[in-house]
Amino acid sequence: MTTPALLPLSGRRLPPLNLGASAFPHHRATLRLSEKFILLLILSAFITLCFGAFFFLPDSSKHKRFDLGLEDVLIPHVDTSKGGKNLGGFLIHGQGHDEHRHREEEERLRNKIRADHEKALEEAKEKLKKSRDEIQAEIQTEKNKVVQELKKKDSKPLPPVPLPNLVGINSGEPADPDIREKRNKVKEMMKHAWDNYRQYGWGHNELKPIARKGHSTNIFGNSQMGATIVDALDTLYIMGLHDEFREGQEWIDKNLDFSVNSEVSVFEVNIRFIGGLLAAYYLSGQEVFKIKAVQLAGKLLPAFNTPTGIPWAMVNLKSGVGRNWGWASAGSSILAEFGTLHMEFVHLSYLTGDPVYYNKVMHIRKLLQKMDRPNGLYPNYLNPRTGRWGQHHTSVGGLGDSFYEYLLKAWLMSDKMDTEARKMYDDAIEAIEKHLIRKSNGGLTFIGEWKNGHLERKMGHLTCFAGGMFALGADGSRDDKAGHYLQLGAEIAHTCHESYDRTTLKLGPEAFKFDGGVEAVAVRQNEKYYILRPEVIETYWYMWRFTHDPKYRQWGWEATQAIDKYCRVSGGFSGVKDVYSSSPTYDDVQQSFFLAETLKYLYLLFSNDDLLPLDNWVFNTEAHPLPVLHLANTTLSGNPAYR
Ligand code: DMJ
């Protein structure tokens, strides 16, 4: 005979309990009624016992749910060496004394849970007596407390390091009244740009000077990070606009917060925010800028978590998740982006004593050194997953530009000790001269772009920065070709000036051609805009510093007047959509780099050379000056400064 199957509490069916032959071998025949009855009695007693055990033994998960630090109390019971056994959460003790202690403990816990419940209920009742506003105010106070605590934790002072030699932070006032007047005009333009941003776009990333409201783009993510404030700080300082500088500092101190769920461009945030904050720190000595720069840098580090260590283009500041731009050659990272971190990251390691930043950028350099380069050129795209080049496109303008700039500046910033960087620069420039630099029929030197095996005879406004770079790198060049590179810089400056001079507004187009009878002129409608970019003026300034040829000040003044005439509106400065049109329309954006770079380079052009001398300061690609670090060879991992 077989009894009906027993259903355990879990609901899973057990195999039928055979109480026949194997259970009672002497009664192979059917069992008598009385025996059946006794068996049933035993069974029901057994079931009752199981139920009792289930309800009365302690349930550890139940305790944990209301636990207020009770775990510590429960854990010692799981000590099997003292005779207790841990059976899937149930504790069974072999000794009576332990059992007693255990029951007492259990009772204590129950009482505590009960008391906590009652307390919580009381508090809830109290809360409900309050008005909605009162409750909200209380929640806000609690939140603020947490934020303040976090801030205190994040704002710990960094270990002091010896400040580098900070020379040349002076007024740089020129003696010549005509030059002084021009310089004052530039300062007035800065004030106009700042005041309007202050009034209409404060805290936003940029300003829409016509709509008179804030503006932003995806490079800054979806948060109001005050890009214009951070980018403009050092220009304000240099110009002696100290009240404005203090306003900016106060905003940064109180509002600049990087714990935001926002996906930003690693490159842009590095050059504008970290570069801007570091420069503001070195110029003013205000600790807050250094602290903010280090906090932000920490948020960028997860972008380097790729199979190769080549960082993603974008990173979410909160989650640390990175990714690349959808348009960049099959998910590649971009040379000018991952190759434009070195200056800022070396300074971060210097100021914090933490080698992590330095190691990240040196890893990129080492990886690039190992790679084959088609014709000695660096392609613009590199896949961070495979470590292989993407599309073979080389440019000294957009996508490539500041990579070359940072090789040269890494050498200069290390007080010319980082000879590895200088060699990489020299090699790259030789290949660029051979494959990309040509003379037009009309005798204009231009830098084209290498695209899939052929040279495109087009030059971007962005490429015009290279005139200044060649001049800056002339001293110390291979085979002592200083004269040659200074001349090359002058030729590029001349070509870029032509690109301005051949327009109606005397402002340069975004890109211009040297093809089909066209020289230094934009052909396509979507290349005719000017968005307040600095590169041409940047080259004028470097050329001025190295040659003192007055034509550079003259060209700079032409650009100043054109910007003031055609880009100035009552709400700030705006880009224009067509530099060949006599009635241009505005793009309604006041770019943060207009305050960081364009106006700063103009101001320096009309200042004395002892304001931020180039022997002591190196300007990052966003025109933020960083001091030369007189360190031992920064390419050596044994350098004590980075140990
Ligand atoms: C700036 O943000 C930097 O100069 C960058 O290197 C490229 N160009 C823009 C301004 O044109």
Side-chain angles (χ1 to χ4, degrees):
M1 187 205 107
T2 46
T3 56
L6 291 173
L7 271 181
L9 292 168
S10 69
R12 194 159 59 92
R13 274 179 102 80
L14 288 175
L17 182 60
N18 185 357
L19 297 176
S22 55
F24 302 95
H26 301 295
H27 300 267
R28 285 172 189 277
T30 50
L31 295 168
R32 277 199 310 266
L33 202 66
S34 57
E35 285 168 333
K36 278 184 190 170
F37 182 63
I38 291 167
L39 260 175
L40 268 173
L41 261 180
I42 294 170
L43 255 174
S44 56
F46 178 70
I47 290 168
T48 315
L49 204 74
C50 288
F51 262 88
F54 181 80
F55 282 113
F56 295 113
L57 282 176
D59 175 347
S60 57
S61 68
K62 212 159 58 179
H63 283 174
K64 270 192 190 146
R65 210 171 312 145
F66 302 104
D67 181 24
L68 297 164
L70 304 183
E71 245 165 308
D72 295 348
V73 186
L74 285 171
I75 285 166
H77 290 289
V78 192
D79 183 356
T80 49
S81 67
K82 286 192 184 137
K85 280 194 245 163
N86 180 8
L87 296 177
F90 293 103
L91 294 172
I92 300 171
H93 288 264
Q95 292 169 5
H97 177 67
D98 274 1
E99 247 171 56
H100 180 69
R101 249 190 46 211
H102 176 64
R103 253 187 241 115
E104 268 181 8
E105 191 55 50
E106 220 172 68
E107 195 48 38
R108 196 184 67 76
L109 294 177
R110 282 210 173 93
N111 288 340
K112 185 171 183 344
I113 290 166
R114 216 171 289 128
D116 287 344
H117 269 253
E118 273 161 21
K119 198 170 152 216
L121 262 173
E122 278 310 310
E123 276 172 9
K125 274 191 215 155
E126 277 304 304
K127 271 251 149 67
L128 284 172
K129 279 186 208 152
K130 293 184 181 162
S131 75
R132 195 193 165 86
D133 287 348
E134 277 175 315
I135 295 173
Q136 252 164 8
E138 270 180 22
I139 294 172
Q140 198 48 50
T141 319
E142 284 301 314
K143 269 192 191 168
N144 290 347
K145 247 196 243 161
V146 175
V147 170
Q148 287 313 320
E149 284 304 311
L150 282 175
K151 264 194 182 165
K152 254 191 244 157
K153 224 174 76 191
D154 276 0
S155 310
K156 277 197 202 113
L158 291 160
V161 288
L163 267 190
N165 198 10
L166 301 173
V167 294
I169 309 176
N170 56 41
S171 78
E173 174 125 38
D176 181 338
D178 174 51
I179 301 299
R180 241 197 341 253
E181 202 180 305
K182 287 177 172 141
R183 193 170 92 133
N184 282 338
K185 175 65 196 168
V186 176
K187 184 170 170 177
E188 183 277 325
M189 288 165 74
M190 178 71 183
K191 185 111 173 72
H192 181 66
W194 175 265
D195 286 348
N196 279 288
Y197 167 76
R198 174 82 186 79
Q199 188 168 358
Y200 303 116
W202 194 237
H204 290 264
N205 289 316
E206 292 175 320
L207 167 72
K208 284 175 95 58
I210 294 167
R212 295 179 183 224
K213 60 179 190 183
H215 170 262
S216 197
T217 64
N218 59 350
I219 59 172
F220 304 118
N222 53 15
S223 294
Q224 290 186 24
M225 303 218 318
T228 297
I229 302 176
V230 183
D231 233 3
L233 277 175
D234 53 8
T235 309
L236 294 171
Y237 194 90
I238 292 163
M239 290 182 176
L241 293 167
H242 294 305
D243 290 344
E244 289 79 357
F245 180 86
R246 263 191 298 276
E247 276 179 328
Q249 177 177 344
E250 206 179 302
W251 186 89
I252 286 169
D253 193 15
K254 292 207 177 114
N255 302 290
L256 190 54
D257 175 18
F258 307 115
S259 307
V260 285
N261 184 11
S262 191
E263 192 181 52
V264 299
S265 156
V266 175
F267 159 76
E268 297 288 358
V269 163
N270 177 58
I271 65 168
R272 300 190 198 210
F273 284 79
I274 296 189
L277 290 165
L278 289 177
Y281 166 66
Y282 283 119
L283 291 173
S284 70
Q286 296 297 309
E287 198 81 2
V288 59
F289 300 126
K290 178 168 73 168
I291 290 168
K292 294 279 177 185
V294 174
Q295 282 171 6
L296 179 53
K299 299 277 179 187
L300 297 188
L301 287 180
F304 292 79
N305 296 337
T306 64
T308 55
I310 295 291
W312 299 115
M314 285 170 283
V315 71
N316 183 302
L317 293 176
K318 192 164 209 167
S319 67
V321 174
R323 70 181 175 104
N324 274 345
W325 304 108
W327 50 263
S329 186
S332 290
S333 299
I334 292 163
L335 184 68
E337 298 198 332
F338 65 78
T340 309
L341 303 166
H342 192 97
M343 293 179 67
E344 296 79 3
F345 275 45
V346 166
H347 270 279
L348 287 165
S349 277
Y350 173 71
L351 290 173
T352 59
D354 185 345
V356 65
Y357 310 101
Y358 174 76
N359 290 340
K360 296 283 180 213
V361 288
M362 287 311 285
H363 176 80
I364 297 174
R365 183 191 286 181
K366 294 291 169 207
L367 201 133
L368 287 175
Q369 276 179 326
K370 276 191 237 143
M371 294 186 65
D372 279 342
R373 281 175 285 134
N375 288 326
L377 297 170
Y378 288 91
N380 289 337
Y381 300 107
L382 180 60
N383 190 314
R385 289 195 181 86
T386 62
R388 280 200 279 275
W389 297 120
Q391 193 194 338
H392 282 193
H393 172 203
T394 298
S395 160
V396 185
L399 307 177
D401 47 12
S402 41
F403 163 69
Y404 307 101
E405 178 186 351
Y406 269 36
L407 290 177
L408 174 65
K409 290 182 175 176
W411 173 69
L412 289 168
M413 208 184 75
S414 69
D415 202 18
K416 304 187 179 171
M417 301 296 278
D418 186 353
T419 49
E420 187 178 74
R422 176 77 215 204
K423 182 183 178 311
M424 286 174 78
Y425 172 78
D426 285 337
D427 290 345
I429 294 309
E430 269 175 28
I432 284 167
E433 234 193 309
K434 191 163 165 204
H435 297 288
L436 306 185
I437 300 186
R438 295 286 180 273
K439 251 200 171 80
S440 71
N441 295 337
L444 295 178
T445 303
F446 68 93
I447 310 175
E449 303 208 350
W450 193 256
K451 270 192 183 155
N452 298 322
H454 90 281
L455 182 74
E456 197 177 359
R457 295 170 67 88
K458 188 166 90 175
M459 188 165 169
H461 192 289
L462 289 165
T463 322
C464 287
F465 92 96
M469 178 177 73
F470 293 141
L472 185 64
D475 198 11
S477 61
R478 189 177 285 165
D479 305 327
D480 199 16
K481 283 164 74 180
H484 168 75
Y485 284 112
L486 200 57
Q487 173 62 20
L488 189 56
E491 288 175 22
I492 298 297
H494 173 62
T495 300
C496 292
H497 176 251
E498 286 300 305
S499 80
Y500 273 52
D501 209 39
R502 295 176 190 199
T503 70
T504 310
L505 305 187
K506 304 292 175 205
L507 291 169
E510 181 67 4
F512 39 96
K513 287 215 149 188
F514 299 86
D515 223 355
V518 167
E519 301 242 332
V521 171
V523 176
R524 290 161 60 170
Q525 192 54 40
N526 65 359
E527 292 172 345
K528 293 181 179 173
Y529 59 86
Y530 173 68
I531 56 167
L532 305 169
R533 285 199 192 279
E535 292 77 16
V536 175
I537 293 164
E538 174 181 351
T539 279
Y540 295 162
W541 174 60
Y542 279 108
M543 290 310 300
W544 164 255
R545 279 271 171 114
F546 291 112
T547 66
H548 288 141
D549 184 333
K551 80 177 172 208
Y552 296 115
R553 276 188 165 166
Q554 177 52 33
W555 291 352
W557 184 238
E558 286 169 15
T560 310
Q561 287 175 301
I563 292 171
D564 203 46
K565 187 162 175 193
Y566 298 111
C567 300
R568 187 183 186 123
V569 292
S570 58
F573 288 88
S574 164
V576 287
K577 288 186 182 162
D578 184 350
V579 290
Y580 301 96
S581 161
S582 50
S583 50
T585 48
Y586 299 112
D587 69 2
D588 198 12
V589 180
Q590 179 175 286
Q591 307 275 350
S592 78
F593 55 65
F594 179 63
L595 294 87
E597 298 190 74
T598 313
L599 293 173
K600 185 187 285 135
Y601 286 132
L602 281 173
Y603 188 79
L604 289 170
L605 181 64
F606 300 115
S607 298
N608 292 340
D609 292 0
D610 61 356
L611 174 57
L612 301 175
L614 287 170
D615 283 341
N616 304 80
W617 295 88
V618 186
F619 288 68
N620 88 339
T621 194
E622 188 76 2
H624 296 305
L626 299 175
V628 166
L629 294 176
H630 297 266
L631 301 171
N633 193 342
T634 49
T635 64
L636 299 177
S637 52
N639 179 352
Y642 301 115
R643 244 185 253 142

mmCIF file of all heavy atoms in Angstrom, residues 387-410:
data_model
loop_
_atom_site.group_PDB
_atom_site.id
_atom_site.type_symbol
_atom_site.label_atom_id
_atom_site.label_comp_id
_atom_site.label_asym_id
_atom_site.label_seq_id
_atom_site.Cartn_x
_atom_site.Cartn_y
_atom_site.Cartn_z
ATOM 1 N N GLY A 387 43.115 49.003 -30.682
ATOM 2 C CA GLY A 387 44.415 49.673 -30.748
ATOM 3 C C GLY A 387 44.889 49.845 -32.183
ATOM 4 O O GLY A 387 46.071 50.066 -32.428
ATOM 5 N N ARG A 388 43.950 49.757 -33.146
ATOM 6 C CA ARG A 388 44.344 49.935 -34.557
ATOM 7 C C ARG A 388 43.811 51.265 -35.095
ATOM 8 O O ARG A 388 42.778 51.762 -34.640
ATOM 9 C CB ARG A 388 43.789 48.782 -35.398
ATOM 10 C CG ARG A 388 44.666 47.530 -35.267
ATOM 11 C CD ARG A 388 44.435 46.580 -36.432
ATOM 12 N NE ARG A 388 43.239 45.779 -36.248
ATOM 13 C CZ ARG A 388 43.214 44.641 -35.561
ATOM 14 N NH1 ARG A 388 44.304 44.161 -35.030
ATOM 15 N NH2 ARG A 388 42.088 43.971 -35.410
ATOM 16 N N TRP A 389 44.541 51.826 -36.070
ATOM 17 C CA TRP A 389 44.086 53.065 -36.694
ATOM 18 C C TRP A 389 42.738 52.848 -37.357
ATOM 19 O O TRP A 389 42.468 51.759 -37.888
ATOM 20 C CB TRP A 389 45.066 53.540 -37.781
ATOM 21 C CG TRP A 389 46.444 53.888 -37.302
ATOM 22 C CD1 TRP A 389 47.605 53.296 -37.697
ATOM 23 C CD2 TRP A 389 46.812 54.916 -36.371
ATOM 24 N NE1 TRP A 389 48.672 53.882 -37.064
ATOM 25 C CE2 TRP A 389 48.216 54.891 -36.237
ATOM 26 C CE3 TRP A 389 46.103 55.864 -35.624
ATOM 27 C CZ2 TRP A 389 48.926 55.746 -35.407
ATOM 28 C CZ3 TRP A 389 46.813 56.719 -34.795
ATOM 29 C CH2 TRP A 389 48.198 56.662 -34.687
ATOM 30 N N GLY A 390 41.898 53.872 -37.375
ATOM 31 C CA GLY A 390 40.661 53.840 -38.161
ATOM 32 C C GLY A 390 40.982 54.371 -39.548
ATOM 33 O O GLY A 390 42.100 54.169 -40.074
ATOM 34 N N GLN A 391 40.027 55.091 -40.107
ATOM 35 C CA GLN A 391 40.191 55.679 -41.442
ATOM 36 C C GLN A 391 41.511 56.480 -41.532
ATOM 37 O O GLN A 391 41.866 57.193 -40.595
ATOM 38 C CB GLN A 391 39.008 56.624 -41.626
ATOM 39 C CG GLN A 391 38.783 57.127 -43.016
ATOM 40 C CD GLN A 391 37.807 58.305 -42.983
ATOM 41 O OE1 GLN A 391 37.029 58.467 -42.041
ATOM 42 N NE2 GLN A 391 37.849 59.124 -44.000
ATOM 43 N N HIS A 392 42.219 56.355 -42.668
ATOM 44 C CA HIS A 392 43.487 57.075 -42.811
ATOM 45 C C HIS A 392 43.260 58.514 -43.275
ATOM 46 O O HIS A 392 43.261 58.813 -44.475
ATOM 47 C CB HIS A 392 44.424 56.337 -43.777
ATOM 48 C CG HIS A 392 45.078 55.159 -43.118
ATOM 49 N ND1 HIS A 392 46.134 54.476 -43.655
ATOM 50 C CD2 HIS A 392 44.821 54.558 -41.923
ATOM 51 C CE1 HIS A 392 46.488 53.502 -42.828
ATOM 52 N NE2 HIS A 392 45.703 53.530 -41.773
ATOM 53 N N HIS A 393 43.049 59.358 -42.337
ATOM 54 C CA HIS A 393 42.824 60.774 -42.590
ATOM 55 C C HIS A 393 43.762 61.529 -41.649
ATOM 56 O O HIS A 393 43.723 61.317 -40.442
ATOM 57 C CB HIS A 393 41.344 61.101 -42.301
ATOM 58 C CG HIS A 393 41.017 62.563 -42.346
ATOM 59 N ND1 HIS A 393 39.923 63.098 -41.696
ATOM 60 C CD2 HIS A 393 41.634 63.596 -42.946
ATOM 61 C CE1 HIS A 393 39.890 64.407 -41.907
ATOM 62 N NE2 HIS A 393 40.919 64.728 -42.661
ATOM 63 N N THR A 394 44.644 62.359 -42.211
ATOM 64 C CA THR A 394 45.568 63.123 -41.360
ATOM 65 C C THR A 394 45.332 64.608 -41.548
ATOM 66 O O THR A 394 45.162 65.080 -42.680
ATOM 67 C CB THR A 394 47.036 62.796 -41.718
ATOM 68 O OG1 THR A 394 47.260 61.410 -41.466
ATOM 69 C CG2 THR A 394 48.004 63.606 -40.869
ATOM 70 N N SER A 395 45.317 65.327 -40.437
ATOM 71 C CA SER A 395 45.035 66.756 -40.507
ATOM 72 C C SER A 395 45.808 67.512 -39.423
ATOM 73 O O SER A 395 45.983 67.004 -38.309
ATOM 74 C CB SER A 395 43.525 66.948 -40.304
ATOM 75 O OG SER A 395 43.262 68.266 -39.919
ATOM 76 N N VAL A 396 46.247 68.720 -39.769
ATOM 77 C CA VAL A 396 46.843 69.587 -38.746
ATOM 78 C C VAL A 396 45.764 70.560 -38.258
ATOM 79 O O VAL A 396 45.989 71.389 -37.389
ATOM 80 C CB VAL A 396 48.079 70.336 -39.316
ATOM 81 C CG1 VAL A 396 48.788 71.144 -38.247
ATOM 82 C CG2 VAL A 396 49.061 69.337 -39.917
ATOM 83 N N GLY A 397 44.573 70.419 -38.837
ATOM 84 C CA GLY A 397 43.419 71.194 -38.381
ATOM 85 C C GLY A 397 42.560 70.305 -37.491
ATOM 86 O O GLY A 397 43.095 69.489 -36.727
ATOM 87 N N GLY A 398 41.252 70.460 -37.604
ATOM 88 C CA GLY A 398 40.320 69.700 -36.765
ATOM 89 C C GLY A 398 40.655 68.214 -36.752
ATOM 90 O O GLY A 398 41.099 67.673 -37.759
ATOM 91 N N LEU A 399 40.520 67.579 -35.621
ATOM 92 C CA LEU A 399 40.738 66.140 -35.369
ATOM 93 C C LEU A 399 42.209 65.760 -35.138
ATOM 94 O O LEU A 399 42.497 64.708 -34.590
ATOM 95 C CB LEU A 399 40.174 65.248 -36.490
ATOM 96 C CG LEU A 399 38.718 65.448 -36.881
ATOM 97 C CD1 LEU A 399 38.354 64.544 -38.047
ATOM 98 C CD2 LEU A 399 37.807 65.193 -35.701
ATOM 99 N N GLY A 400 43.133 66.630 -35.568
ATOM 100 C CA GLY A 400 44.555 66.295 -35.371
ATOM 101 C C GLY A 400 45.319 67.375 -34.626
ATOM 102 O O GLY A 400 46.182 67.100 -33.778
ATOM 103 N N ASP A 401 44.994 68.623 -34.919
ATOM 104 C CA ASP A 401 45.749 69.822 -34.515
ATOM 105 C C ASP A 401 46.515 69.796 -33.186
ATOM 106 O O ASP A 401 47.745 69.785 -33.143
ATOM 107 C CB ASP A 401 44.849 71.068 -34.572
ATOM 108 C CG ASP A 401 43.470 70.885 -33.922
ATOM 109 O OD1 ASP A 401 43.282 69.882 -33.221
ATOM 110 O OD2 ASP A 401 42.607 71.769 -34.106
ATOM 111 N N SER A 402 45.778 69.768 -32.094
ATOM 112 C CA SER A 402 46.453 70.001 -30.811
ATOM 113 C C SER A 402 47.285 68.807 -30.339
ATOM 114 O O SER A 402 48.057 68.946 -29.384
ATOM 115 C CB SER A 402 45.449 70.422 -29.744
ATOM 116 O OG SER A 402 44.283 69.665 -29.843
ATOM 117 N N PHE A 403 47.165 67.657 -30.997
ATOM 118 C CA PHE A 403 48.073 66.547 -30.672
ATOM 119 C C PHE A 403 49.518 66.982 -30.934
ATOM 120 O O PHE A 403 50.405 66.801 -30.093
ATOM 121 C CB PHE A 403 47.719 65.310 -31.499
ATOM 122 C CG PHE A 403 48.812 64.276 -31.544
ATOM 123 C CD1 PHE A 403 49.155 63.557 -30.409
ATOM 124 C CD2 PHE A 403 49.521 64.041 -32.716
ATOM 125 C CE1 PHE A 403 50.189 62.617 -30.436
ATOM 126 C CE2 PHE A 403 50.545 63.099 -32.755
ATOM 127 C CZ PHE A 403 50.875 62.386 -31.608
ATOM 128 N N TYR A 404 49.760 67.591 -32.112
ATOM 129 C CA TYR A 404 51.118 68.039 -32.464
ATOM 130 C C TYR A 404 51.549 69.172 -31.538
ATOM 131 O O TYR A 404 52.685 69.231 -31.076
ATOM 132 C CB TYR A 404 51.159 68.487 -33.937
ATOM 133 C CG TYR A 404 50.624 67.413 -34.852
ATOM 134 C CD1 TYR A 404 49.326 67.474 -35.362
ATOM 135 C CD2 TYR A 404 51.393 66.290 -35.159
ATOM 136 C CE1 TYR A 404 48.820 66.462 -36.166
ATOM 137 C CE2 TYR A 404 50.889 65.271 -35.963
ATOM 138 C CZ TYR A 404 49.605 65.360 -36.455
ATOM 139 O OH TYR A 404 49.112 64.345 -37.228
ATOM 140 N N GLU A 405 50.595 70.057 -31.273
ATOM 141 C CA GLU A 405 50.855 71.200 -30.377
ATOM 142 C C GLU A 405 51.324 70.711 -29.003
ATOM 143 O O GLU A 405 52.276 71.249 -28.430
ATOM 144 C CB GLU A 405 49.541 71.991 -30.248
ATOM 145 C CG GLU A 405 49.583 73.175 -29.330
ATOM 146 C CD GLU A 405 48.190 73.812 -29.157
ATOM 147 O OE1 GLU A 405 47.238 73.439 -29.888
ATOM 148 O OE2 GLU A 405 48.048 74.684 -28.283
ATOM 149 N N TYR A 406 50.681 69.646 -28.481
ATOM 150 C CA TYR A 406 51.010 69.177 -27.135
ATOM 151 C C TYR A 406 52.330 68.410 -27.085
ATOM 152 O O TYR A 406 52.954 68.331 -26.029
ATOM 153 C CB TYR A 406 49.852 68.351 -26.557
ATOM 154 C CG TYR A 406 48.873 69.224 -25.782
ATOM 155 C CD1 TYR A 406 48.581 70.514 -26.214
ATOM 156 C CD2 TYR A 406 48.255 68.782 -24.615
ATOM 157 C CE1 TYR A 406 47.700 71.329 -25.513
ATOM 158 C CE2 TYR A 406 47.374 69.593 -23.904
ATOM 159 C CZ TYR A 406 47.107 70.865 -24.360
ATOM 160 O OH TYR A 406 46.250 71.673 -23.660
ATOM 161 N N LEU A 407 52.777 67.860 -28.220
ATOM 162 C CA LEU A 407 54.104 67.222 -28.225
ATOM 163 C C LEU A 407 55.156 68.300 -27.987
ATOM 164 O O LEU A 407 56.052 68.156 -27.148
ATOM 165 C CB LEU A 407 54.358 66.517 -29.560
ATOM 166 C CG LEU A 407 53.548 65.252 -29.844
ATOM 167 C CD1 LEU A 407 53.868 64.711 -31.229
ATOM 168 C CD2 LEU A 407 53.802 64.177 -28.782
ATOM 169 N N LEU A 408 55.013 69.394 -28.738
ATOM 170 C CA LEU A 408 55.966 70.500 -28.588
ATOM 171 C C LEU A 408 55.870 71.108 -27.186
ATOM 172 O O LEU A 408 56.887 71.368 -26.519
ATOM 173 C CB LEU A 408 55.683 71.573 -29.646
ATOM 174 C CG LEU A 408 56.501 72.853 -29.526
ATOM 175 C CD1 LEU A 408 57.986 72.581 -29.766
ATOM 176 C CD2 LEU A 408 55.993 73.913 -30.509
ATOM 177 N N LYS A 409 54.644 71.305 -26.729
ATOM 178 C CA LYS A 409 54.464 71.993 -25.445
ATOM 179 C C LYS A 409 54.849 71.113 -24.256
ATOM 180 O O LYS A 409 55.231 71.623 -23.205
ATOM 181 C CB LYS A 409 53.040 72.537 -25.342
ATOM 182 C CG LYS A 409 52.828 73.713 -26.315
ATOM 183 C CD LYS A 409 51.459 74.341 -26.244
ATOM 184 C CE LYS A 409 51.401 75.568 -27.164
ATOM 185 N NZ LYS A 409 50.059 76.173 -27.210
ATOM 186 N N ALA A 410 54.775 69.778 -24.433
ATOM 187 C CA ALA A 410 55.235 68.876 -23.360
ATOM 188 C C ALA A 410 56.733 69.103 -23.155
ATOM 189 O O ALA A 410 57.225 69.150 -22.021
ATOM 190 C CB ALA A 410 54.965 67.425 -23.730
#
